[in-house]
Amino acid sequence: MSASADPVKVMKEQVGKAAADRVKSGSIVGLGTGSTTAYAIQYIGERLKSGDLKDIQGIPTSFQATVLAKEYGIPLTTLDEVDRIDVAIDGADEVDPNKNLIKGGGAAHTREKIVDSLAEEFIVVVDSSKMVDRLGSTFLLPVEVLPMAMTPVMKAIEKLGGQPQLRMGVKKAGPVISDQGNFIIDVKFDRIDNPAELEKTLNNIPGVLENGLFVGVTDVVLIGEIKENQPTVREI
C-alpha cells in the first residue's frame, strides 16, 4: 500500500473485491447500494471484462447501483425476467452479533430488502465501525413512508417509544425523496431488544412501505479492518 493511499478507502476496496470474488459465472447478482458495494460492482465489471467471469446479470437495488453497473459493463435484468437471485452483495449501517442489520442510510432499503431477501446467498460488506452489540446503538432506524401518511406514521412511531425525524435533503431544499418517490423518517429508539418484532410492528403501520431492520436475511458478513495500517478482511 503506498504511503499516500487512504487506508479506509483501500479497506473498502478489499472488502468489495472479496465479495466480487465469490460471484460465479452464470449467476444472477443483486447489486446493492453504498460506497463499499460500489467497489464490489466495479470488481464484478472488471472480472467480466477480463473474461474471468461470464454470463452475469445484475439486479440493481437503486439508481446508484444501476448507474455503476452500466458504467462497469454489467448487463442488467429485472425481477420480472428471472426466477432466482443467486447472490446479493450489499452494505449495512449496523450489524449485530446475530448478523441482523440496520440499513437505509442511502434511502434504498426497500428495494434492497426485496432483492437481498430473495437471494440464495446474501453477502454483507462492511467496515469494522459498523459492528455493534445491539442494533440502534449508533444509527437511526430508517422508515420509508408514503408522503400523505407522514404525520400519522410519526405519531404511531412516538407511541412505540421512538423519536422520529423527517430526513432532509443535503444540497436540496426539503425532504429526501426515495427512488420510489417517498419520504424517509429516521427513528431513534433507546434500545431495540427484539428487532424481528419491531420490524413487523413498524411495517404494520398504515402508510409505512418498509423499514431498515433486516432480520434473519444475512448469510455472510465480510468485515474490513485495518491492522498495523494494513487492510484485512475477516468473515463471520
Side-chain angles (χ1 to χ4, degrees), residues 168-210:
M168 302 306 280
V170 178
K171 299 186 181 175
K172 171 201 173 294
V176 166
I177 306 295
S178 74
D179 286 1
Q180 288 75 243
N182 299 312
F183 292 165
I184 304 290
I185 295 171
D186 290 310
V187 187
K188 172 80 181 105
F189 284 100
D190 286 337
R191 49 192 295 156
I192 298 174
D193 287 322
N194 189 333
E197 196 176 304
L198 184 60
E199 180 182 23
K200 289 179 183 145
T201 302
L202 287 170
N203 280 358
N204 271 334
I205 300 171
V208 169
L209 195 59
E210 189 54 84

Side-chain angles (χ1 to χ4, degrees), residues 48-88:
L48 273 171
K49 198 173 172 185
S50 72
D52 178 40
L53 202 56
K54 292 183 175 66
D55 190 26
I56 292 295
Q57 289 182 296
I59 295 189
T61 56
S62 62
F63 290 143
Q64 183 212 27
T66 302
V67 169
L68 285 169
K70 287 179 175 169
E71 184 182 334
Y72 293 112
I74 302 170
L76 296 179
T77 186
T78 66
L79 293 175
D80 292 329
E81 304 297 319
V82 300
D83 57 3
R84 68 178 203 283
I85 299 174
D86 297 294
V87 59

Side-chain angles (χ1 to χ4, degrees), residues 40-53:
I41 294 173
Q42 178 185 337
Y43 282 114
I44 290 168
E46 287 177 11
R47 287 186 64 199
L48 273 171
K49 198 173 172 185
S50 72
D52 178 40
L53 202 56

Side-chain angles (χ1 to χ4, degrees), residues 10-30:
V10 174
M11 174 187 71
K12 286 186 170 193
E13 284 182 35
Q14 299 272 17
V15 179
K17 186 173 187 302
D21 284 343
R22 291 172 175 242
V23 175
K24 298 180 175 71
S25 290
S27 298
I28 293 160
V29 187

Side-chain angles (χ1 to χ4, degrees), residues 128-234:
S128 52
S129 72
K130 307 289 170 66
M131 306 305 294
V132 295
D133 290 331
R134 184 193 295 276
L135 292 181
S137 337
T138 59
F139 205 83
L140 301 177
L141 175 61
V143 179
E144 181 164 352
V145 60
L146 297 174
M148 67 164 283
M150 176 190 79
T151 302
V153 166
M154 287 173 94
K155 286 178 179 162
I157 287 170
E158 283 171 354
K159 282 185 183 157
L160 293 172
Q163 298 161 272
Q165 59 193 58
L166 183 62
R167 188 182 301 180
M168 302 306 280
V170 178
K171 299 186 181 175
K172 171 201 173 294
V176 166
I177 306 295
S178 74
D179 286 1
Q180 288 75 243
N182 299 312
F183 292 165
I184 304 290
I185 295 171
D186 290 310
V187 187
K188 172 80 181 105
F189 284 100
D190 286 337
R191 49 192 295 156
I192 298 174
D193 287 322
N194 189 333
E197 196 176 304
L198 184 60
E199 180 182 23
K200 289 179 183 145
T201 302
L202 287 170
N203 280 358
N204 271 334
I205 300 171
V208 169
L209 195 59
E210 189 54 84
N211 69 79
L213 286 166
F214 283 51
V215 179
V217 184
T218 310
D219 297 298
V220 176
V221 185
L222 299 177
I223 306 158
E225 296 173 312
I226 297 169
K227 291 187 174 163
E228 292 158 17
N229 219 26
Q230 289 297 317
T232 62
V233 178
R234 73 182 169 98

Side-chain angles (χ1 to χ4, degrees), residues 81-142:
E81 304 297 319
V82 300
D83 57 3
R84 68 178 203 283
I85 299 174
D86 297 294
V87 59
I89 300 169
D90 213 340
D93 299 299
E94 285 189 341
V95 183
D96 78 4
N98 297 317
K99 297 192 277 204
N100 295 322
L101 319 173
I102 284 183
K103 288 174 55 53
H109 59 276
T110 299
R111 283 170 64 177
E112 289 170 341
K113 197 180 279 192
I114 293 165
V115 171
D116 298 343
S117 302
L118 286 169
E120 291 289 319
E121 183 182 35
F122 174 34
I123 302 172
V124 172
V125 290
V126 289
D127 59 81
S128 52
S129 72
K130 307 289 170 66
M131 306 305 294
V132 295
D133 290 331
R134 184 193 295 276
L135 292 181
S137 337
T138 59
F139 205 83
L140 301 177
L141 175 61

